[in-house]
Amino acid sequence: MVKSNDSMKKNNILSKVLIGAAVIVGMIIFTIYQYNTAKAWSNRIYPGVKIENQDLSGKTKGEAKSIIEKKYKVGIIKKKLNIKTDARNYTLDFSKINPKYDIDGAINQAFNYGKDRNLLKKYQLIKLSSTKKFDLKLVYDDKPVNEFIDSIEKEVNKAPVDATLNISQGNIKVVPEKKGETLQKDKLKKELSSKINGEIDHDIDIKAPMQAVNAKITGDKISSINYKIGEFSTEYGSISSPERENNIVLATKSINGKILMPGDIFSFNDIVGERTAERGYEAAPIIVGDKVDSGLGGGICQVSSTLYNAVIRANIKSVERTHHSLPSHYVKLGMDATVDYGNLDYKFKNTLKYPIYIEGDASGGVVLFNVYSNNSLAGTVTELSSNVYQTVEPNIKYQDDATLPEGKTEVEKPFSTGYKVKVTKTTTQDGKLISRETITDDYYEPVEGIIKRGIKKPETTPVIPPAVPAATPPTPSAQPSTTPSAPKN
């Protein structure tokens, strides 16, 4: 029997309805299963989730915190930071940097991972888990770390040593330079920062990054120095106190061995430095204005003046030079160079095409400076002459003083004669005149003096005549006179 078309259509519709219903039911069941699965994991960390290398799948917040704290909170303080150099190793215990992991923050990240997604995504994360790693953020006190690096820097940094000369009995020998090295602090800190949050299973080992530092003056640059081109000396032993001698020796040592390349400028104050008690300088007489006073570093103007004369005689011009306010006893007028740290400096520039070497010595009560350069300058001779073209007598005031005896005088304020003086520099080359020029025209102003003179009259003592002795009565004669005395009228 053949079914009608209407019947077949009804069956098809029913089948579709049943299939659709089954799909819907299946979807509902699967959704319920997904829901129940997600709900079962709602208080647990999803599979595959790690903090550092610790798998926390299925752990509650409390369980996860207990695991992480046990492994990392205690373990971190046992770590060490090792910085290795060629010479030695330096170690810093982590306990000194007060390290603390942000464990709560990491646990929250691990626990909340995937919890904000839709049901299907949650189900996929649970059933089709893939690894998800969260890092522990380490918080620590970076002050001990910086101090640790600074202490390493002080030990490992080596300044380059410039080449210099060894001069003995006229023989000049080049002493080669030595390279230095310096710690690359920024690079080290950057590498340390990237590794300090690493695993706790092993210490942090870092090779200290070092950088070579070349010397400014190398042996090949000064090999041309082979001849003395200028010298000058002054005597100080017989005129100086022990304190003044000490200052002269200190300042001279600071200058000895100084090398100037062509174009370099020498600054006395920069090379010698500030004259302080901490640096060994002592109080001694110094010229302050128009009088002599006491001050730290007294006497070093003799050093600057002696050097000035040696440099001028090497045919090197001054950049900055000032004469004293009062004449100096150790050099001729117009040939001195005063210095005062922070105020007055003596400077000169190496205008030669060769480097120069300055040798200074202050032994035996004599300050001596020798200037060396190349022997091609041997034929050049520079001489100086000082010409006083005006003498200015000082004004001296006299003040009567009733406390001083008449005829006696006492200097209240020392006076000084003034001078106007020109210094001429004459330079010859192989005996032929090259130049003659006035290099200074100085005026040492007179200093007014005050002299007290006594007007106190001497005291007079009254003259007392000698005492007259009383008359002595006559002694009676042994035999009485027989002549009677005449009667008185």
Side-chain angles (χ1 to χ4, degrees):
M1 182 174 177
V2 180
K3 293 182 179 180
S4 66
N5 291 334
D6 289 340
S7 178
M8 291 179 65
K9 289 180 179 180
K10 290 179 180 180
N11 289 335
N12 287 335
I13 293 171
L14 180 60
S15 296
K16 291 180 179 180
V17 170
L18 291 174
I19 292 172
V23 171
I24 292 173
V25 170
M27 290 177 64
I28 292 172
I29 293 173
F30 183 63
T31 300
I32 292 172
Y33 177 72
Q34 286 180 318
Y35 174 79
N36 289 333
T37 300
K39 185 177 180 181
W41 284 86
S42 62
N43 290 322
R44 297 184 179 276
I45 296 173
Y46 284 172
V49 176
K50 295 181 178 182
I51 291 181
E52 295 296 336
N53 291 324
Q54 181 64 49
D55 189 355
L56 298 176
S57 301
K59 306 300 182 184
T60 63
K61 267 189 174 184
E63 292 171 340
K65 184 175 182 178
S66 177
I67 292 170
I68 297 301
E69 282 187 344
K70 183 178 180 181
K71 184 175 182 180
Y72 290 94
K73 189 174 183 180
V74 176
I76 187 63
I77 63 173
K78 296 180 180 180
K79 287 190 66 171
K80 296 181 184 297
L81 171 61
N82 301 312
I83 307 295
K84 298 181 179 181
T85 67
D86 291 337
R88 58 167 289 192
N89 295 337
Y90 299 85
T91 299
L92 177 67
D93 293 332
F94 263 49
S95 59
K96 294 182 179 180
I97 66 174
N98 193 27
K100 294 179 181 178
Y101 279 118
D102 184 10
I103 293 177
D104 289 337
I107 294 294
N108 286 333
Q109 283 184 307
F111 179 80
N112 293 326
Y113 175 68
K115 299 291 197 303
D116 59 343
R117 301 187 183 186
N118 60 41
L119 187 61
L120 179 59
K121 292 291 185 181
K122 290 179 181 179
Y123 180 79
Q124 290 174 340
L125 287 174
I126 295 169
K127 293 299 182 180
L128 305 174
S129 62
S130 60
T131 300
K132 177 64 178 178
K133 181 181 177 181
F134 292 97
D135 295 327
L136 278 172
K137 183 179 180 182
L138 182 65
V139 179
Y140 60 92
D141 184 2
D142 60 358
K143 183 179 178 181
V145 176
N146 292 332
E147 291 177 346
F148 177 58
I149 294 176
D150 289 343
S151 67
I152 295 174
E153 181 187 35
K154 289 179 181 179
E155 288 194 24
V156 302
N157 276 16
K158 294 180 181 179
V161 179
D162 288 337
T164 187
L165 299 179
N166 185 354
I167 302 176
S168 177
Q169 297 180 347
N171 295 320
I172 302 175
K173 181 181 178 181
V174 175
V175 180
E177 74 281 1
K178 293 181 180 180
K179 285 188 176 182
E181 60 178 356
T182 182
L183 176 67
Q184 295 178 285
K185 289 175 61 175
D186 292 340
K187 187 175 181 179
L188 175 59
K189 288 181 179 180
K190 186 176 181 180
E191 183 177 0
L192 189 151
S193 179
S194 67
K195 291 183 176 180
I196 205 167
N197 287 326
E199 298 179 3
I200 63 168
D201 299 332
H202 56 79
D203 295 334
I204 297 176
D205 297 320
I206 299 177
K207 176 68 174 177
M210 303 296 294
Q211 184 175 22
V213 181
N214 293 324
K216 177 185 176 183
I217 300 175
T218 56
D220 60 315
K221 291 181 178 179
I222 62 172
S223 60
S224 62
I225 302 177
N226 55 16
Y227 187 80
K228 186 197 299 184
I229 61 172
E231 64 178 309
F232 195 77
S233 64
T234 58
E235 193 273 336
Y236 70 87
S238 63
I239 58 173
S240 298
S241 64
E243 293 80 10
R244 189 174 188 273
E245 290 184 7
N246 168 76
N247 298 336
I248 289 174
V249 171
L250 281 179
T252 304
K253 284 183 178 179
S254 299
I255 301 169
N256 180 46
K258 181 63 180 175
I259 295 175
L260 274 77
M261 304 304 294
D264 285 352
I265 293 178
F266 176 97
S267 164
F268 188 94
N269 285 337
D270 287 348
I271 299 300
V272 175
E274 188 173 3
R275 278 67 86 180
T276 63
E278 291 75 15
R279 300 184 67 240
Y281 286 94
E282 300 178 79
I286 58 174
I287 297 175
V288 180
D290 60 357
K291 64 180 181 178
V292 177
D293 207 338
S294 179
L296 283 174
I300 65 168
C301 284
Q302 182 165 352
V303 178
S304 58
S305 295
T306 306
L307 177 63
Y308 166 72
N309 278 270
V311 170
I312 288 294
R313 285 167 172 79
N315 200 28
I316 299 173
K317 294 183 178 180
S318 302
V319 173
E320 181 180 336
R321 172 262 172 188
T322 306
H323 67 86
H324 288 85
S325 54
L326 298 176
S328 302
H329 57 272
Y330 40 79
V331 290
K332 293 181 179 180
L333 290 169
M335 295 186 181
D336 58 329
T338 183
V339 288
D340 180 21
Y341 192 86
N343 295 306
L344 299 174
D345 201 358
Y346 165 53
K347 296 179 181 180
F348 63 89
K349 181 178 182 179
N350 179 14
T351 53
L352 306 176
K353 61 180 180 179
Y354 301 102
I356 62 174
Y357 175 87
I358 301 173
E359 179 184 37
D361 181 74
S363 61
V366 175
V367 185
L368 167 68
F369 283 106
N370 294 318
V371 182
Y372 293 85
S373 191
N374 188 258
N375 58 10
S376 65
L377 305 173
T380 303
V381 178
T382 299
E383 296 178 340
L384 302 180
S385 61
S386 173
N387 175 36
V388 177
Y389 63 90
Q390 185 177 350
T391 300
V392 184
E393 295 299 331
N395 181 31
I396 301 175
K397 293 182 179 180
Y398 289 89
Q399 295 178 349
D400 292 339
D401 191 327
T403 64
L404 292 177
E406 187 177 25
K408 185 177 182 180
T409 60
E410 187 177 286
V411 177
E412 173 72 12
K413 180 184 177 185
F415 55 89
S416 176
T417 303
Y419 301 96
K420 290 185 178 181
V421 56
K422 292 182 179 180
V423 174
T424 302
K425 185 182 81 165
T426 302
T427 304
T428 59
Q429 177 70 48
D430 297 325
K432 295 181 180 180
L433 180 65
I434 296 177
S435 65
R436 180 180 287 116
E437 59 179 322
T438 299
I439 59 172
T440 61
D441 188 349
D442 296 334
Y443 177 36
Y444 298 86
E445 295 187 14
V447 177
E448 182 181 83
I450 299 176
I451 296 178
K452 295 192 295 184
R453 56 190 174 190
I455 59 173
K456 182 180 179 182
K457 301 286 186 182
E459 294 182 1
T460 57
T461 304
V463 179
I464 302 175
V468 179
T472 304
T475 303
S477 176
Q479 294 181 351
S481 177
T482 58
T483 306
S485 34
K488 296 180 179 180
N489 297 323

